[in-house]
Amino acid sequence: MAILPFQDRVALVTGASRGIGRGIALALGRAGATVVVNYRTREADAEKVVSEIKTSGGRARVWRANVADREDAPKMVDGVAAEFGRLDILVNNAGVLKDGPLMMMSDAQWDDVVRPALDGAFLCSRAAMRPMIERRSGAILNVSSVSWRVGVPGQTNYATAKAGLVGFTRALAAEVARFNIRVNAIAPGLVDTEMSEQVPEKMRKKILEIVPLGRAATVDEVVGPAMFLLGDGASYITGKVLDVDGGMS
């Protein structure tokens, strides 16, 4: 029997009930990893992801937690490491869109977008340091967005969150490289997901006008680069932000 590329590794993917997180979780499961599918509110969708992984012969379980909560997030990461005896991969993917002009943006609109992305990455990554440092091995992938680089009207909250993840990625990569822990990020452009359906059609058309490939990405086209950065083929890559945006940036 062939050895799968992520065999015997344990992966935690936040916000994995749909979209890019779901795609990465499924790919990791098919590649041999034991996958913990994190969700906050969409239990049925998360259970469906786990079911698909198990149907394909993989191992997975769901884990409900709010990654922006200072007790919930580390409790989840510590629990995963305790249950499986290790944590090899962390994908900080959880995030939402709540667009609007800055002048009319509520505190809740700001917090609901910024906190899951930035606080979530901070809290989960900090908790992941102990099991990863103990094993002198690990890979962290942060899901940013082209929005950190290309200004999109109505997305000051989202752009701030995704730009913060870029700085977080680069600083943490430099900090933990000596422990053989790699930290990278992907920055997708417009992707055909449930989240992108929230983008008004007029705005969607304007965005696609500046995409050289002229279309949105599929989830699989984002998952491929993510899996590369998480895998052994990228063992000498850390602190990298990989644009997956059809040439938009």
Side-chain angles (χ1 to χ4, degrees), residues 5-6 9-13 24-25 27-28 33 88-92 132 137-143 182-186 222-235 237 242:
F6 288 85
R9 297 184 200 180
V10 175
L12 169 60
V13 184
I24 294 174
L28 284 167
D88 303 285
I89 293 168
L90 170 64
V91 179
N92 289 309
M132 289 186 177
S137 176
I140 296 174
L141 181 72
N142 299 314
V143 180
R182 299 183 300 106
V183 187
N184 291 294
I186 54 172
V222 177
V223 170
M227 292 292 285
F228 166 68
L229 288 174
L230 290 170
D232 292 342
S235 59
I237 299 175
L242 180 57

Side-chain angles (χ1 to χ4, degrees), residues 195-240:
M195 181 184 289
S196 72
E197 291 174 1
Q198 300 175 43
V199 178
E201 187 59 30
K202 186 177 179 181
M203 178 65 70
R204 184 184 178 91
K205 286 180 178 178
K206 288 184 69 173
I207 292 172
L208 290 178
E209 285 174 2
I210 59 172
V211 178
L213 286 181
R215 61 175 177 83
T218 66
V219 169
D220 285 346
E221 288 174 317
V222 177
V223 170
M227 292 292 285
F228 166 68
L229 288 174
L230 290 170
D232 292 342
S235 59
Y236 200 61
I237 299 175
T238 195
K240 176 67 177 177

Side-chain angles (χ1 to χ4, degrees), residues 11-29 35-53 60-65 67 76 90-95 143 195 219:
L12 169 60
V13 184
T14 70
S17 64
R18 59 177 178 167
I20 294 171
R22 175 182 181 276
I24 294 174
L26 289 172
L28 284 167
V35 184
V36 178
V37 176
N38 162 254
Y39 74 98
R40 184 173 67 89
T41 59
R42 304 169 68 100
E43 182 177 9
D45 291 335
E47 290 283 7
K48 199 175 296 183
V49 176
V50 167
S51 178
E52 287 188 47
I53 292 172
R61 64 155 292 180
V62 296
W63 203 300
R64 183 184 182 280
V67 298
M76 172 179 64
L90 170 64
V91 179
N92 289 309
N93 167 75
V143 180
M195 181 184 289
V219 169

Side-chain angles (χ1 to χ4, degrees), residues 6-201:
F6 288 85
Q7 193 164 308
D8 298 326
R9 297 184 200 180
V10 175
L12 169 60
V13 184
T14 70
S17 64
R18 59 177 178 167
I20 294 171
R22 175 182 181 276
I24 294 174
L26 289 172
L28 284 167
R30 287 193 296 266
T34 296
V35 184
V36 178
V37 176
N38 162 254
Y39 74 98
R40 184 173 67 89
T41 59
R42 304 169 68 100
E43 182 177 9
D45 291 335
E47 290 283 7
K48 199 175 296 183
V49 176
V50 167
S51 178
E52 287 188 47
I53 292 172
K54 289 181 176 178
T55 298
S56 68
R59 300 175 300 277
R61 64 155 292 180
V62 296
W63 203 300
R64 183 184 182 280
N66 178 0
V67 298
D69 185 277
R70 294 182 182 275
E71 293 184 3
D72 223 11
K75 186 177 179 180
M76 172 179 64
V77 178
D78 291 345
V80 171
E83 180 172 333
F84 297 103
R86 59 193 294 167
L87 177 61
D88 303 285
I89 293 168
L90 170 64
V91 179
N92 289 309
N93 167 75
V96 297
L97 273 179
K98 289 199 175 179
D99 293 355
L102 182 68
M103 192 173 84
M104 300 173 66
M105 187 174 289
S106 67
D107 291 351
Q109 275 179 286
W110 180 270
D111 290 342
D112 289 349
V113 172
V114 173
R115 292 192 62 222
L118 293 185
D119 287 16
F122 161 63
L123 294 168
C124 291
S125 298
R126 182 175 65 178
M129 287 299 97
R130 185 181 298 277
M132 289 186 177
I133 287 174
E134 284 177 354
R135 296 187 65 84
R136 291 297 193 273
S137 176
I140 296 174
L141 181 72
N142 299 314
V143 180
S144 181
S145 166
V146 72
S147 289
W148 85 271
R149 191 192 297 273
V150 179
V152 178
Q155 288 193 345
T156 51
N157 50 1
Y158 191 70
T160 297
K162 297 306 186 177
L165 280 176
V166 170
F168 180 85
T169 296
R170 290 175 172 161
L172 184 58
E175 184 176 312
V176 299
R178 67 185 186 276
F179 301 113
N180 195 35
I181 299 170
R182 299 183 300 106
V183 187
N184 291 294
I186 54 172
L190 190 64
V191 185
D192 280 328
T193 63
E194 186 177 324
M195 181 184 289
S196 72
E197 291 174 1
Q198 300 175 43
V199 178
E201 187 59 30

